[in-house]
Short mmCIF file of all heavy atoms in Angstrom, two decimals:
data_model
loop_
_atom_site.label_atom_id
_atom_site.label_comp_id
_atom_site.label_asym_id
_atom_site.label_seq_id
_atom_site.Cartn_x
_atom_site.Cartn_y
_atom_site.Cartn_z
N MET A 765 -122.42 16.91 19.55
CA MET A 765 -121.53 15.79 19.36
C MET A 765 -120.18 16.26 18.84
O MET A 765 -119.15 15.72 19.23
CB MET A 765 -122.21 14.83 18.38
CG MET A 765 -121.53 13.53 18.30
SD MET A 765 -121.72 12.71 19.88
CE MET A 765 -121.36 11.10 19.47
N LYS A 766 -120.24 17.24 17.92
CA LYS A 766 -119.00 17.75 17.37
C LYS A 766 -118.18 18.48 18.43
O LYS A 766 -116.96 18.41 18.44
CB LYS A 766 -119.33 18.69 16.20
CG LYS A 766 -118.15 19.08 15.39
CD LYS A 766 -118.60 19.85 14.16
CE LYS A 766 -117.41 20.10 13.26
NZ LYS A 766 -117.78 20.83 12.07
N ARG A 767 -118.87 19.15 19.33
CA ARG A 767 -118.20 19.89 20.39
C ARG A 767 -117.48 18.93 21.34
O ARG A 767 -116.38 19.21 21.81
CB ARG A 767 -119.24 20.72 21.14
CG ARG A 767 -118.65 21.59 22.18
CD ARG A 767 -119.74 22.41 22.82
NE ARG A 767 -119.23 23.73 23.13
CZ ARG A 767 -119.93 24.71 23.61
NH1 ARG A 767 -121.22 24.53 23.79
NH2 ARG A 767 -119.40 25.85 23.88
N ILE A 768 -118.07 17.78 21.63
CA ILE A 768 -117.46 16.78 22.51
C ILE A 768 -116.21 16.21 21.88
O ILE A 768 -115.18 16.04 22.54
CB ILE A 768 -118.48 15.68 22.86
CG1 ILE A 768 -119.61 16.25 23.71
CG2 ILE A 768 -117.80 14.53 23.59
CD1 ILE A 768 -120.73 15.29 23.98
N SER A 769 -116.25 15.93 20.58
CA SER A 769 -115.08 15.37 19.91
C SER A 769 -113.94 16.39 19.85
O SER A 769 -112.77 16.02 19.98
CB SER A 769 -115.44 14.87 18.51
OG SER A 769 -115.77 15.94 17.66
N ILE A 770 -114.24 17.66 19.66
CA ILE A 770 -113.20 18.70 19.67
C ILE A 770 -112.59 18.82 21.05
O ILE A 770 -111.36 18.93 21.21
CB ILE A 770 -113.78 20.05 19.17
CG1 ILE A 770 -114.14 19.95 17.69
CG2 ILE A 770 -112.79 21.18 19.41
CD1 ILE A 770 -114.85 21.17 17.15
N THR A 771 -113.44 18.77 22.08
CA THR A 771 -112.96 18.86 23.45
C THR A 771 -112.09 17.65 23.79
O THR A 771 -111.01 17.80 24.39
CB THR A 771 -114.14 18.94 24.44
OG1 THR A 771 -114.99 20.03 24.07
CG2 THR A 771 -113.66 19.13 25.86
N MET A 772 -112.51 16.48 23.41
CA MET A 772 -111.73 15.26 23.67
C MET A 772 -110.38 15.29 22.93
O MET A 772 -109.35 14.89 23.45
CB MET A 772 -112.52 14.02 23.27
CG MET A 772 -113.68 13.72 24.19
SD MET A 772 -113.15 13.48 25.90
CE MET A 772 -112.38 11.91 25.76
N THR A 773 -110.39 15.79 21.70
CA THR A 773 -109.16 15.92 20.93
C THR A 773 -108.20 16.88 21.62
O THR A 773 -107.00 16.63 21.71
CB THR A 773 -109.47 16.39 19.49
OG1 THR A 773 -110.39 15.49 18.90
CG2 THR A 773 -108.21 16.46 18.67
N ALA A 774 -108.72 17.98 22.11
CA ALA A 774 -107.89 18.97 22.80
C ALA A 774 -107.32 18.39 24.10
O ALA A 774 -106.15 18.58 24.42
CB ALA A 774 -108.69 20.23 23.08
N VAL A 775 -108.13 17.65 24.83
CA VAL A 775 -107.67 17.02 26.08
C VAL A 775 -106.58 15.99 25.79
O VAL A 775 -105.55 15.93 26.48
CB VAL A 775 -108.86 16.40 26.84
CG1 VAL A 775 -108.38 15.51 27.98
CG2 VAL A 775 -109.77 17.48 27.37
N LEU A 776 -106.78 15.18 24.77
CA LEU A 776 -105.78 14.18 24.41
C LEU A 776 -104.48 14.83 23.92
O LEU A 776 -103.38 14.35 24.23
CB LEU A 776 -106.34 13.23 23.35
CG LEU A 776 -107.41 12.26 23.84
CD1 LEU A 776 -107.99 11.47 22.68
CD2 LEU A 776 -106.83 11.32 24.88
N ALA A 777 -104.62 15.93 23.18
CA ALA A 777 -103.42 16.63 22.71
C ALA A 777 -102.63 17.21 23.89
O ALA A 777 -101.40 17.12 23.93
CB ALA A 777 -103.80 17.73 21.73
N LEU A 778 -103.32 17.80 24.85
CA LEU A 778 -102.66 18.34 26.03
C LEU A 778 -102.02 17.24 26.87
O LEU A 778 -100.92 17.40 27.40
CB LEU A 778 -103.64 19.15 26.88
CG LEU A 778 -104.01 20.51 26.31
CD1 LEU A 778 -105.08 21.16 27.18
CD2 LEU A 778 -102.79 21.40 26.22
N ALA A 779 -102.69 16.11 26.99
CA ALA A 779 -102.14 14.98 27.74
C ALA A 779 -100.90 14.44 27.04
O ALA A 779 -99.90 14.08 27.68
CB ALA A 779 -103.19 13.88 27.89
N GLY A 780 -100.93 14.41 25.71
CA GLY A 780 -99.77 13.95 24.95
C GLY A 780 -98.59 14.89 25.11
O GLY A 780 -97.45 14.47 25.24
N LEU A 781 -98.85 16.18 25.10
CA LEU A 781 -97.77 17.15 25.28
C LEU A 781 -97.22 17.14 26.71
O LEU A 781 -96.03 17.35 26.92
CB LEU A 781 -98.25 18.56 24.91
CG LEU A 781 -98.47 18.81 23.42
CD1 LEU A 781 -99.04 20.20 23.22
CD2 LEU A 781 -97.16 18.66 22.67
N ALA A 782 -98.08 16.90 27.66
CA ALA A 782 -97.62 16.85 29.05
C ALA A 782 -96.72 15.64 29.28
O ALA A 782 -95.81 15.69 30.11
CB ALA A 782 -98.82 16.79 29.99
N ALA A 783 -96.92 14.58 28.54
CA ALA A 783 -96.08 13.39 28.69
C ALA A 783 -94.69 13.61 28.11
O ALA A 783 -93.75 12.88 28.44
CB ALA A 783 -96.75 12.21 28.00
N CYS A 784 -94.52 14.60 27.27
CA CYS A 784 -93.23 14.85 26.63
C CYS A 784 -92.32 15.78 27.43
O CYS A 784 -91.21 16.07 27.02
CB CYS A 784 -93.44 15.45 25.25
SG CYS A 784 -94.25 14.32 24.10
N THR A 785 -92.77 16.28 28.54
CA THR A 785 -91.95 17.21 29.31
C THR A 785 -90.81 16.47 29.99
O THR A 785 -90.91 15.28 30.32
CB THR A 785 -92.78 17.95 30.37
OG1 THR A 785 -93.35 17.00 31.26
CG2 THR A 785 -93.88 18.78 29.73
N GLU A 786 -89.73 17.19 30.23
CA GLU A 786 -88.56 16.60 30.87
C GLU A 786 -88.73 16.63 32.38
O GLU A 786 -89.18 17.62 32.95
CB GLU A 786 -87.31 17.40 30.48
CG GLU A 786 -86.05 16.80 31.00
CD GLU A 786 -84.82 17.54 30.51
OE1 GLU A 786 -84.94 18.33 29.58
OE2 GLU A 786 -83.76 17.32 31.09
N LYS A 787 -88.34 15.56 33.00
CA LYS A 787 -88.41 15.49 34.45
C LYS A 787 -87.30 16.35 35.05
O LYS A 787 -86.22 16.43 34.49
CB LYS A 787 -88.26 14.05 34.93
CG LYS A 787 -89.39 13.17 34.50
CD LYS A 787 -89.20 11.76 34.99
CE LYS A 787 -90.33 10.87 34.50
NZ LYS A 787 -90.16 9.49 34.91
N PRO A 788 -87.53 16.98 36.20
CA PRO A 788 -86.48 17.80 36.81
C PRO A 788 -85.30 16.93 37.24
O PRO A 788 -85.49 15.83 37.77
CB PRO A 788 -87.16 18.44 38.01
CG PRO A 788 -88.38 17.65 38.25
CD PRO A 788 -88.77 17.00 36.96
N GLN A 789 -84.11 17.43 36.97
CA GLN A 789 -82.90 16.70 37.33
C GLN A 789 -82.31 17.33 38.58
O GLN A 789 -82.07 18.53 38.64
CB GLN A 789 -81.90 16.77 36.18
CG GLN A 789 -82.43 16.15 34.93
CD GLN A 789 -81.46 16.31 33.76
OE1 GLN A 789 -80.40 16.88 33.90
NE2 GLN A 789 -81.85 15.80 32.62
N THR A 790 -82.07 16.50 39.54
CA THR A 790 -81.47 16.99 40.77
C THR A 790 -80.03 16.51 40.83
O THR A 790 -79.70 15.43 40.35
CB THR A 790 -82.23 16.48 42.01
OG1 THR A 790 -82.22 15.06 41.98
CG2 THR A 790 -83.66 16.99 42.01
N GLY A 791 -79.18 17.30 41.39
CA GLY A 791 -77.76 16.96 41.50
C GLY A 791 -77.52 16.03 42.67
O GLY A 791 -77.01 16.45 43.69
N GLY A 792 -77.89 14.77 42.54
CA GLY A 792 -77.71 13.79 43.61
C GLY A 792 -76.24 13.60 43.93
O GLY A 792 -75.68 14.27 44.79
N GLY A 793 -75.59 12.71 43.24
CA GLY A 793 -74.17 12.48 43.43
C GLY A 793 -73.83 11.92 44.79
O GLY A 793 -74.69 11.61 45.61
N ILE A 794 -72.57 11.81 45.03
CA ILE A 794 -72.07 11.30 46.30
C ILE A 794 -71.85 12.48 47.24
O ILE A 794 -71.19 13.44 46.89
CB ILE A 794 -70.75 10.54 46.09
CG1 ILE A 794 -70.98 9.34 45.19
CG2 ILE A 794 -70.15 10.12 47.42
CD1 ILE A 794 -69.72 8.63 44.79
N LYS A 795 -72.40 12.37 48.41
CA LYS A 795 -72.22 13.42 49.40
C LYS A 795 -71.43 12.84 50.56
O LYS A 795 -71.86 11.90 51.22
CB LYS A 795 -73.56 13.94 49.88
CG LYS A 795 -74.33 14.61 48.76
CD LYS A 795 -75.67 15.13 49.20
CE LYS A 795 -76.37 15.75 48.02
NZ LYS A 795 -77.69 16.18 48.31
N SER A 796 -70.27 13.41 50.77
CA SER A 796 -69.41 12.91 51.82
C SER A 796 -68.86 14.09 52.61
O SER A 796 -68.49 15.11 52.04
CB SER A 796 -68.26 12.11 51.21
OG SER A 796 -67.35 11.73 52.20
N ASP A 797 -68.79 13.94 53.90
CA ASP A 797 -68.24 14.99 54.74
C ASP A 797 -66.72 14.84 54.90
O ASP A 797 -66.07 15.75 55.37
CB ASP A 797 -68.89 14.96 56.12
CG ASP A 797 -70.35 15.41 56.06
OD1 ASP A 797 -70.97 15.19 55.03
OD2 ASP A 797 -70.82 15.96 57.04
N ALA A 798 -66.19 13.71 54.52
CA ALA A 798 -64.76 13.48 54.68
C ALA A 798 -63.99 14.15 53.55
O ALA A 798 -64.45 14.24 52.42
CB ALA A 798 -64.48 11.98 54.68
N VAL A 799 -62.80 14.61 53.88
CA VAL A 799 -61.93 15.20 52.86
C VAL A 799 -61.39 14.10 51.96
O VAL A 799 -61.26 12.95 52.39
CB VAL A 799 -60.79 15.99 53.52
CG1 VAL A 799 -61.32 17.23 54.20
CG2 VAL A 799 -60.03 15.14 54.51
N PRO A 800 -61.07 14.39 50.70
CA PRO A 800 -60.64 13.34 49.79
C PRO A 800 -59.37 12.62 50.22
O PRO A 800 -59.21 11.43 49.97
CB PRO A 800 -60.40 14.06 48.46
CG PRO A 800 -60.97 15.40 48.61
CD PRO A 800 -61.17 15.67 50.04
N TYR A 801 -58.47 13.32 50.87
CA TYR A 801 -57.21 12.70 51.24
C TYR A 801 -57.31 11.85 52.51
O TYR A 801 -56.33 11.28 52.96
CB TYR A 801 -56.09 13.75 51.39
CG TYR A 801 -56.43 14.88 52.33
CD1 TYR A 801 -56.20 14.77 53.69
CD2 TYR A 801 -56.94 16.06 51.85
CE1 TYR A 801 -56.50 15.80 54.55
CE2 TYR A 801 -57.23 17.11 52.69
CZ TYR A 801 -57.00 16.97 54.04
OH TYR A 801 -57.30 18.00 54.90
N ALA A 802 -58.52 11.72 53.06
CA ALA A 802 -58.70 10.86 54.23
C ALA A 802 -58.69 9.39 53.86
O ALA A 802 -58.54 8.54 54.72
CB ALA A 802 -60.01 11.22 54.93
N GLY A 803 -58.86 9.09 52.58
CA GLY A 803 -58.82 7.70 52.13
C GLY A 803 -60.18 7.03 52.19
O GLY A 803 -61.14 7.56 52.72
N THR A 804 -60.22 5.82 51.65
CA THR A 804 -61.47 5.08 51.60
C THR A 804 -61.44 3.83 52.47
O THR A 804 -62.44 3.15 52.60
CB THR A 804 -61.78 4.64 50.16
OG1 THR A 804 -60.72 3.81 49.71
CG2 THR A 804 -61.92 5.83 49.24
N GLY A 805 -60.28 3.50 52.99
CA GLY A 805 -60.15 2.28 53.77
C GLY A 805 -59.84 1.08 52.90
O GLY A 805 -59.81 -0.05 53.38
N SER A 806 -59.58 1.30 51.63
CA SER A 806 -59.29 0.21 50.70
C SER A 806 -57.81 -0.16 50.78
O SER A 806 -56.96 0.67 51.08
CB SER A 806 -59.63 0.65 49.28
OG SER A 806 -59.21 -0.34 48.36
N ASN A 807 -57.52 -1.42 50.49
CA ASN A 807 -56.13 -1.87 50.47
C ASN A 807 -55.43 -1.51 49.17
O ASN A 807 -54.22 -1.63 49.05
CB ASN A 807 -56.06 -3.39 50.66
CG ASN A 807 -56.50 -3.79 52.05
OD1 ASN A 807 -56.37 -3.03 52.99
ND2 ASN A 807 -57.04 -4.99 52.18
N PHE A 808 -56.18 -1.07 48.18
CA PHE A 808 -55.62 -0.76 46.87
C PHE A 808 -55.28 0.73 46.80
O PHE A 808 -56.00 1.52 46.22
CB PHE A 808 -56.62 -1.14 45.78
CG PHE A 808 -57.02 -2.58 45.83
CD1 PHE A 808 -58.25 -2.95 46.33
CD2 PHE A 808 -56.15 -3.56 45.41
CE1 PHE A 808 -58.62 -4.28 46.39
CE2 PHE A 808 -56.50 -4.90 45.47
CZ PHE A 808 -57.74 -5.26 45.96
N THR A 809 -54.16 1.09 47.37
CA THR A 809 -53.70 2.47 47.34
C THR A 809 -52.34 2.54 46.67
O THR A 809 -51.62 1.54 46.58
CB THR A 809 -53.60 3.06 48.76
OG1 THR A 809 -52.69 2.26 49.52
CG2 THR A 809 -54.94 3.11 49.45
N GLN A 810 -52.01 3.72 46.22
CA GLN A 810 -50.73 3.95 45.57
C GLN A 810 -49.61 3.86 46.61
O GLN A 810 -49.70 4.46 47.67
CB GLN A 810 -50.74 5.33 44.92
CG GLN A 810 -49.49 5.72 44.20
CD GLN A 810 -49.32 4.96 42.91
OE1 GLN A 810 -50.29 4.45 42.35
NE2 GLN A 810 -48.11 4.86 42.44
N PRO A 811 -48.54 3.12 46.31
CA PRO A 811 -47.41 3.08 47.25
C PRO A 811 -46.82 4.48 47.42
O PRO A 811 -46.66 5.22 46.46
CB PRO A 811 -46.41 2.14 46.58
CG PRO A 811 -47.20 1.37 45.59
CD PRO A 811 -48.34 2.23 45.18
N GLY A 812 -46.51 4.83 48.64
CA GLY A 812 -45.95 6.15 48.92
C GLY A 812 -46.97 7.16 49.40
O GLY A 812 -46.61 8.22 49.87
N TRP A 813 -48.23 6.83 49.27
CA TRP A 813 -49.27 7.75 49.74
C TRP A 813 -49.65 7.39 51.16
O TRP A 813 -49.91 6.25 51.49
CB TRP A 813 -50.49 7.69 48.84
CG TRP A 813 -51.62 8.54 49.34
CD1 TRP A 813 -51.62 9.89 49.49
CD2 TRP A 813 -52.89 8.10 49.80
NE1 TRP A 813 -52.81 10.32 50.00
CE2 TRP A 813 -53.61 9.23 50.20
CE3 TRP A 813 -53.48 6.86 49.91
CZ2 TRP A 813 -54.90 9.16 50.70
CZ3 TRP A 813 -54.77 6.80 50.40
CH2 TRP A 813 -55.47 7.94 50.79
N LYS A 814 -49.68 8.41 52.02
CA LYS A 814 -50.03 8.21 53.42
C LYS A 814 -51.46 8.70 53.64
O LYS A 814 -51.79 9.83 53.29
CB LYS A 814 -49.06 8.97 54.32
CG LYS A 814 -47.62 8.54 54.15
CD LYS A 814 -46.72 9.52 54.90
CE LYS A 814 -45.33 9.52 54.34
NZ LYS A 814 -45.17 10.22 53.09
N VAL A 815 -52.29 7.87 54.22
CA VAL A 815 -53.68 8.22 54.46
C VAL A 815 -53.76 9.40 55.42
O VAL A 815 -53.13 9.39 56.48
CB VAL A 815 -54.46 7.02 55.04
CG1 VAL A 815 -55.89 7.41 55.39
CG2 VAL A 815 -54.44 5.86 54.07
N GLY A 816 -54.50 10.44 55.05
CA GLY A 816 -54.70 11.60 55.90
C GLY A 816 -53.68 12.70 55.69
O GLY A 816 -53.80 13.78 56.26
N ASP A 817 -52.64 12.49 54.88
CA ASP A 817 -51.61 13.50 54.63
C ASP A 817 -51.95 14.27 53.37
O ASP A 817 -51.88 13.73 52.26
CB ASP A 817 -50.25 12.81 54.51
CG ASP A 817 -49.11 13.80 54.38
OD1 ASP A 817 -49.32 15.00 54.64
OD2 ASP A 817 -47.99 13.36 54.03
N LYS A 818 -52.32 15.53 53.52
CA LYS A 818 -52.77 16.34 52.39
C LYS A 818 -51.65 16.59 51.38
O LYS A 818 -51.88 16.51 50.17
CB LYS A 818 -53.33 17.67 52.88
CG LYS A 818 -53.92 18.51 51.78
CD LYS A 818 -54.53 19.79 52.32
CE LYS A 818 -55.13 20.60 51.19
NZ LYS A 818 -55.76 21.81 51.67
N THR A 819 -50.45 16.88 51.84
CA THR A 819 -49.36 17.14 50.90
C THR A 819 -48.99 15.89 50.12
O THR A 819 -48.70 15.95 48.92
CB THR A 819 -48.12 17.69 51.62
OG1 THR A 819 -47.74 16.78 52.65
CG2 THR A 819 -48.40 19.05 52.24
N SER A 820 -49.01 14.74 50.77
CA SER A 820 -48.75 13.48 50.08
C SER A 820 -49.83 13.22 49.03
O SER A 820 -49.53 12.77 47.92
CB SER A 820 -48.70 12.33 51.09
OG SER A 820 -48.60 11.10 50.44
N TRP A 821 -51.06 13.53 49.36
CA TRP A 821 -52.19 13.37 48.43
C TRP A 821 -51.98 14.26 47.19
O TRP A 821 -52.14 13.81 46.06
CB TRP A 821 -53.48 13.75 49.14
CG TRP A 821 -54.70 13.85 48.29
CD1 TRP A 821 -55.22 14.98 47.74
CD2 TRP A 821 -55.55 12.78 47.87
NE1 TRP A 821 -56.35 14.69 47.02
CE2 TRP A 821 -56.58 13.34 47.09
CE3 TRP A 821 -55.56 11.41 48.10
CZ2 TRP A 821 -57.58 12.58 46.53
CZ3 TRP A 821 -56.57 10.66 47.53
CH2 TRP A 821 -57.56 11.25 46.76
N GLU A 822 -51.61 15.51 47.42
CA GLU A 822 -51.41 16.44 46.32
C GLU A 822 -50.23 16.01 45.44
O GLU A 822 -50.29 16.13 44.22
CB GLU A 822 -51.20 17.85 46.85
CG GLU A 822 -52.48 18.44 47.43
CD GLU A 822 -52.25 19.75 48.15
OE1 GLU A 822 -51.08 20.13 48.38
OE2 GLU A 822 -53.26 20.41 48.48
N GLN A 823 -49.18 15.51 46.05
CA GLN A 823 -48.03 15.04 45.28
C GLN A 823 -48.41 13.83 44.42
O GLN A 823 -47.99 13.72 43.27
CB GLN A 823 -46.87 14.68 46.20
CG GLN A 823 -46.21 15.88 46.82
CD GLN A 823 -45.18 15.48 47.87
OE1 GLN A 823 -45.08 14.33 48.24
NE2 GLN A 823 -44.44 16.47 48.34
N GLN A 824 -49.19 12.92 44.97
CA GLN A 824 -49.62 11.75 44.21
C GLN A 824 -50.52 12.16 43.04
O GLN A 824 -50.41 11.60 41.94
CB GLN A 824 -50.36 10.76 45.11
CG GLN A 824 -49.46 10.02 46.06
CD GLN A 824 -48.49 9.12 45.33
OE1 GLN A 824 -48.82 8.51 44.33
NE2 GLN A 824 -47.28 9.04 45.85
N LEU A 825 -51.40 13.13 43.26
CA LEU A 825 -52.27 13.60 42.18
C LEU A 825 -51.45 14.28 41.08
O LEU A 825 -51.71 14.09 39.89
CB LEU A 825 -53.32 14.58 42.70
CG LEU A 825 -54.50 13.98 43.44
CD1 LEU A 825 -55.43 15.07 43.90
CD2 LEU A 825 -55.24 12.98 42.60
N LYS A 826 -50.48 15.06 41.49
CA LYS A 826 -49.63 15.74 40.51
C LYS A 826 -48.84 14.73 39.68
O LYS A 826 -48.76 14.83 38.46
CB LYS A 826 -48.67 16.69 41.21
CG LYS A 826 -47.90 17.58 40.25
CD LYS A 826 -46.95 18.50 40.99
CE LYS A 826 -47.71 19.51 41.79
NZ LYS A 826 -46.86 20.51 42.42
N ALA A 827 -48.27 13.73 40.33
CA ALA A 827 -47.51 12.70 39.61
C ALA A 827 -48.42 11.89 38.70
O ALA A 827 -48.06 11.57 37.57
CB ALA A 827 -46.81 11.79 40.61
N ARG A 828 -49.60 11.59 39.16
CA ARG A 828 -50.56 10.81 38.36
C ARG A 828 -50.98 11.60 37.13
O ARG A 828 -51.10 11.05 36.04
CB ARG A 828 -51.76 10.50 39.24
CG ARG A 828 -52.81 9.67 38.60
CD ARG A 828 -53.86 9.36 39.64
NE ARG A 828 -55.03 8.81 39.04
CZ ARG A 828 -56.16 8.66 39.66
NH1 ARG A 828 -56.28 9.03 40.91
NH2 ARG A 828 -57.19 8.14 39.07
N GLN A 829 -51.19 12.89 37.32
CA GLN A 829 -51.60 13.73 36.20
C GLN A 829 -50.47 13.88 35.20
O GLN A 829 -50.68 13.85 34.00
CB GLN A 829 -52.03 15.08 36.72
CG GLN A 829 -52.50 16.02 35.64
CD GLN A 829 -52.85 17.38 36.20
OE1 GLN A 829 -52.35 17.78 37.25
NE2 GLN A 829 -53.71 18.09 35.53
N GLN A 830 -49.27 14.02 35.68
CA GLN A 830 -48.13 14.27 34.81
C GLN A 830 -47.72 13.03 34.02
O GLN A 830 -47.43 13.10 32.84
CB GLN A 830 -46.94 14.78 35.62
CG GLN A 830 -45.78 15.23 34.78
CD GLN A 830 -46.12 16.42 33.91
OE1 GLN A 830 -46.92 17.25 34.27
NE2 GLN A 830 -45.50 16.49 32.75
N TYR A 831 -47.68 11.88 34.68
CA TYR A 831 -47.11 10.69 34.04
C TYR A 831 -48.14 9.64 33.64
O TYR A 831 -47.97 8.99 32.63
CB TYR A 831 -46.08 10.05 34.97
CG TYR A 831 -44.99 11.02 35.36
CD1 TYR A 831 -44.84 11.42 36.67
CD2 TYR A 831 -44.13 11.54 34.41
CE1 TYR A 831 -43.85 12.32 37.02
CE2 TYR A 831 -43.14 12.42 34.75
CZ TYR A 831 -43.00 12.82 36.07
OH TYR A 831 -42.03 13.70 36.41
N GLY A 832 -49.16 9.47 34.43
CA GLY A 832 -50.08 8.37 34.16
C GLY A 832 -51.25 8.69 33.27
O GLY A 832 -51.69 7.86 32.50
N GLN A 833 -51.77 9.91 33.36
CA GLN A 833 -53.00 10.21 32.62
C GLN A 833 -52.80 11.26 31.53
O GLN A 833 -53.76 11.70 30.93
CB GLN A 833 -54.08 10.68 33.60
CG GLN A 833 -54.52 9.60 34.53
CD GLN A 833 -55.64 10.05 35.44
OE1 GLN A 833 -55.86 11.22 35.60
NE2 GLN A 833 -56.33 9.10 36.03
N ASN A 834 -51.59 11.66 31.28
CA ASN A 834 -51.32 12.65 30.25
C ASN A 834 -50.90 11.91 28.99
O ASN A 834 -49.79 11.41 28.89
CB ASN A 834 -50.23 13.60 30.72
CG ASN A 834 -50.07 14.78 29.80
OD1 ASN A 834 -50.52 14.76 28.67
ND2 ASN A 834 -49.42 15.82 30.30
N GLU A 835 -51.80 11.81 28.03
CA GLU A 835 -51.53 11.05 26.80
C GLU A 835 -50.39 11.65 26.00
O GLU A 835 -49.66 10.95 25.33
CB GLU A 835 -52.80 10.98 25.95
CG GLU A 835 -53.85 10.07 26.50
CD GLU A 835 -53.41 8.62 26.52
OE1 GLU A 835 -52.76 8.16 25.57
OE2 GLU A 835 -53.72 7.94 27.51
N TYR A 836 -50.22 12.96 26.06
CA TYR A 836 -49.15 13.59 25.29
C TYR A 836 -47.78 13.11 25.78
O TYR A 836 -46.94 12.72 24.99
CB TYR A 836 -49.24 15.11 25.38
CG TYR A 836 -48.17 15.80 24.58
CD1 TYR A 836 -48.24 15.86 23.19
CD2 TYR A 836 -47.07 16.39 25.20
CE1 TYR A 836 -47.26 16.47 22.46
CE2 TYR A 836 -46.08 17.00 24.48
CZ TYR A 836 -46.18 17.06 23.09
OH TYR A 836 -45.20 17.65 22.37
N THR A 837 -47.57 13.10 27.09
CA THR A 837 -46.27 12.66 27.60
C THR A 837 -46.10 11.16 27.42
O THR A 837 -44.98 10.69 27.22
CB THR A 837 -46.10 13.01 29.09
OG1 THR A 837 -47.17 12.45 29.83
CG2 THR A 837 -46.06 14.50 29.30
N ARG A 838 -47.17 10.39 27.44
CA ARG A 838 -47.07 8.96 27.23
C ARG A 838 -46.68 8.63 25.80
O ARG A 838 -45.91 7.71 25.54
CB ARG A 838 -48.39 8.27 27.59
CG ARG A 838 -48.66 8.28 29.08
CD ARG A 838 -50.00 7.74 29.42
NE ARG A 838 -50.07 6.31 29.15
CZ ARG A 838 -51.15 5.58 29.30
NH1 ARG A 838 -52.27 6.16 29.70
NH2 ARG A 838 -51.14 4.31 29.05
N THR A 839 -47.20 9.38 24.83
CA THR A 839 -46.88 9.10 23.43
C THR A 839 -45.52 9.65 23.04
O THR A 839 -44.89 9.14 22.14
CB THR A 839 -47.95 9.67 22.49
OG1 THR A 839 -48.06 11.07 22.71
CG2 THR A 839 -49.28 9.00 22.71
N GLN A 840 -45.06 10.69 23.69
CA GLN A 840 -43.77 11.29 23.35
C GLN A 840 -42.59 10.46 23.88
O GLN A 840 -41.49 10.58 23.37
CB GLN A 840 -43.67 12.72 23.90
CG GLN A 840 -44.67 13.66 23.28
CD GLN A 840 -44.53 13.75 21.77
OE1 GLN A 840 -43.45 13.81 21.23
NE2 GLN A 840 -45.66 13.69 21.09
N SER A 841 -42.81 9.64 24.87
CA SER A 841 -41.71 8.86 25.44
C SER A 841 -41.36 7.63 24.60
O SER A 841 -40.36 7.01 24.81
CB SER A 841 -42.07 8.42 26.87
OG SER A 841 -43.19 7.57 26.83
N LYS A 842 -42.19 7.31 23.62
CA LYS A 842 -41.93 6.13 22.78
C LYS A 842 -41.09 6.47 21.59
O LYS A 842 -40.95 7.49 21.09
CB LYS A 842 -43.24 5.51 22.33
CG LYS A 842 -43.99 4.92 23.47
CD LYS A 842 -45.26 4.31 23.00
CE LYS A 842 -46.02 3.75 24.19
NZ LYS A 842 -47.24 3.15 23.83
#
């Protein structure tokens, strides 16, 4: 009887530890074959950006990074 209770305790302990393991994480994300500057077909685009023009895309990203999303330059202009 004592042997059965030890075995059951060991089985329950192993089952409890197995439940604590982390599930594998796969890098799902968005998979698209289109280049980023091809556009999304949305009407909400930045004025001056031409869909499919790589240089125009890069210029818009550079301007956005410099003026719109750079907190240092935004706070220094005040």
